[in-house]
Amino acid sequence: DTGVTAGIWSSSDGAAWVEETTVSIFTARSNHRAVVLGSQIWVIGGNDGAPSDEIWSSADGLTWTQSTVSGTAFSAREGHGLVALSDSLTVIGGGNTTNTALNDVWKSADGINWVQKTATSELFSARLNQGTIISQSLIWIVGGRDASGNLLNDTWTSADGVTWNSHSPT
């Protein structure tokens, strides 16, 4: 038993959890990311035996729709960053199917049309399993691991996913 499931669970208090459905909507996976944008929950990527490029959304957590990407989008990945900022989903870095760490940034307002953002400043090094949050209207990337598994000890911020600022540890 790997402990990886495809169950949908909910809680009104964070202490008591209820499995909402026993029907598998998407395959069991690990290292995926989830975020809320507008009225939708988004689940992107992860590993279901191999890194995935699947994009799923739901308004209620029970009924899920898989997005069909129009044009080019990010490659399959796991351990990436995912945030919702300025009415857009932003996918950041992660690891791909060849165990390569990535440092690309992709944005979408609808989960269907994706645009790769090209950095206009120094860009963080390739990484996966980094901490990625939104605070003070900025994307924050903290640490992670490089492709060799080495721990990274740096922090980066961006207001748009294009211009990045390094905040070296003191």
Side-chain angles (χ1 to χ4, degrees):
D1 181 11
T2 64
V4 177
T5 68
I8 305 295
W9 293 76
S10 69
S11 174
S12 61
D13 62 7
W17 289 84
V18 175
E19 187 170 15
E20 295 294 343
T21 179
T22 56
V23 176
S24 294
I25 294 135
F26 35 76
T27 57
R29 63 193 59 216
S30 62
N31 279 331
H32 57 287
R33 299 297 182 252
V35 70
V36 173
L37 176 65
S39 63
Q40 297 287 311
I41 304 165
W42 293 86
V43 172
I44 296 180
N47 188 316
D48 61 358
S52 170
D53 60 357
E54 291 181 350
I55 303 164
W56 293 85
S57 64
S58 174
D60 61 8
L62 300 175
T63 305
W64 290 84
T65 302
Q66 186 174 7
S67 293
T68 301
V69 172
S70 176
T72 303
F74 54 87
S75 60
R77 65 192 58 213
E78 62 178 314
H80 51 288
L82 175 63
V83 294
L85 178 66
S86 303
D87 298 327
S88 292
L89 299 164
T90 304
V91 170
I92 303 167
N96 68 12
T97 55
T98 61
N99 295 318
T100 301
L102 305 166
N103 66 343
D104 53 351
V105 178
W106 292 81
K107 292 187 106 174
S108 175
D110 59 9
I112 296 170
N113 299 290
W114 290 86
V115 175
Q116 184 173 7
K117 296 299 178 179
T118 302
T120 59
S121 59
E122 181 183 4
L123 185 61
F124 53 90
S125 61
R127 65 193 60 215
L128 62 151
N129 295 323
Q130 70 272 15
T132 309
I133 63 166
I134 297 292
S135 179
Q136 302 171 351
S137 299
L138 293 172
I139 302 168
W140 289 77
I141 295 175
V142 180
R145 292 187 180 270
D146 65 17
S148 298
N150 299 310
L151 291 173
L152 301 171
N153 183 26
D154 56 353
T155 303
W156 293 80
T157 59
S158 176
D160 58 8
V162 174
T163 303
W164 291 90
N165 298 298
S166 173
H167 304 277
S168 299
T170 57

